[in-house]
Amino acid sequence: IGANSARLPDMEYKLLNIKGIHRNWLPAKSVIGVEMAGGGASIFIAMDTSLSMSGGNLATQKAALAAFIRAMKGTVNSVRIVAFSNSINGTIERFDCTDAAYEEIAVWLEAYTTLTYGGDWELAVSSAATFFETDRALQRDIDDGNLFGGIRIPLLGGESTTETRRKLVIFTTDGAPNPGSPELAAIELATIDNVEVYGFNIDETDTTETEKIDNTPDDGVPVVAGDNPNEMFVALSNSMVTWADMN
């Protein structure tokens, strides 16, 4: 601060409660600065609601996903959630979410209770392509950046264009799938251009099956504790992080 200067400038400070804001599961390594995707994403979430999720695992999954959804407030994304087993046990879908829509989704998650037998992963992601295509077909116009004082100037080449959204699939599970369904799910997802698939295991340390659908190898398939919603929330949030500084 004092290098090459005989006089120190006035000092200003901005103080943050890092542990409270970021809810880290390991406060000793709390994030200092993090940049999240600033909206404009289509987010498809498939959550395991098989019988093996009974008890703490379901409660952890619901709490973590609800916190993840609420963390998007202030940004505009489209979200579809599918609760799956051998059947689709529930869905909720909202496009271009307002804060009220995010809260509606989070409340739906917290109230969810239905568990049934099985783990059909192909069925779990079968509506993803249609969701992404429906969101894209809304034909939102965005400015191309040639603005002056917030006004588009045609002479400078300003024009509107169809928005291209980031496509995310978040897949949470705690058990073994129906044999062959991960391979079929991977084929289904491979038909979607530029989709990012993030798999998360709850308590299940064998990630072999989930790796078959996860196409984001940089983060692997995180294994999160079935009794720690904060740990799962942090892992989920990493799918939306573009960079983070650590202390």
Side-chain angles (χ1 to χ4, degrees), residues 98-117:
T98 62
D99 285 0
Y102 289 128
E103 185 62 26
E104 185 180 358
I105 295 170
V107 170
W108 180 88
L109 280 163
E110 291 169 337
Y112 184 88
T113 58
T114 302
L115 299 176
T116 58
Y117 175 79

Side-chain angles (χ1 to χ4, degrees), residues 37-42 75-78 96 102 135 163-167:
S42 303
T75 65
V76 179
N77 303 285
S78 294
D96 290 346
Y102 289 128
D135 198 27
E163 182 179 10
T164 300
R165 291 199 150 189
R166 186 181 179 196
K167 303 172 192 171

Side-chain angles (χ1 to χ4, degrees), residues 95-160:
F95 294 98
D96 290 346
C97 291
T98 62
D99 285 0
Y102 289 128
E103 185 62 26
E104 185 180 358
I105 295 170
V107 170
W108 180 88
L109 280 163
E110 291 169 337
Y112 184 88
T113 58
T114 302
L115 299 176
T116 58
Y117 175 79
D120 188 336
W121 289 14
E122 181 189 16
L123 179 64
V125 300
S126 61
S127 62
T130 299
F131 165 69
F132 291 131
E133 180 59 26
T134 301
D135 198 27
R136 186 202 65 80
L138 292 178
Q139 294 293 320
R140 305 169 192 86
D141 288 336
I142 60 172
D143 188 79
D144 65 358
N146 289 317
L147 292 177
F148 182 77
I151 303 172
R152 183 177 295 113
I153 308 297
L155 293 178
L156 298 180
E159 60 183 20
S160 60

Side-chain angles (χ1 to χ4, degrees), residues 63 65-74 99 102-103 106-107 110 233:
L65 286 172
F68 176 66
I69 293 297
R70 288 190 172 108
M72 297 182 203
K73 289 183 177 181
D99 285 0
Y102 289 128
E103 185 62 26
V107 170
E110 291 169 337
F233 167 74

Side-chain angles (χ1 to χ4, degrees), residues 22 24 29-36 237-238 240-247:
H22 295 290
N24 289 75
K29 295 185 178 179
S30 292
V31 174
I32 297 172
V34 61
E35 180 175 303
M36 305 292 285
S237 297
N238 285 340
M240 298 290 283
V241 169
T242 57
W243 60 259
D245 293 332
M246 306 299 289
N247 66 12

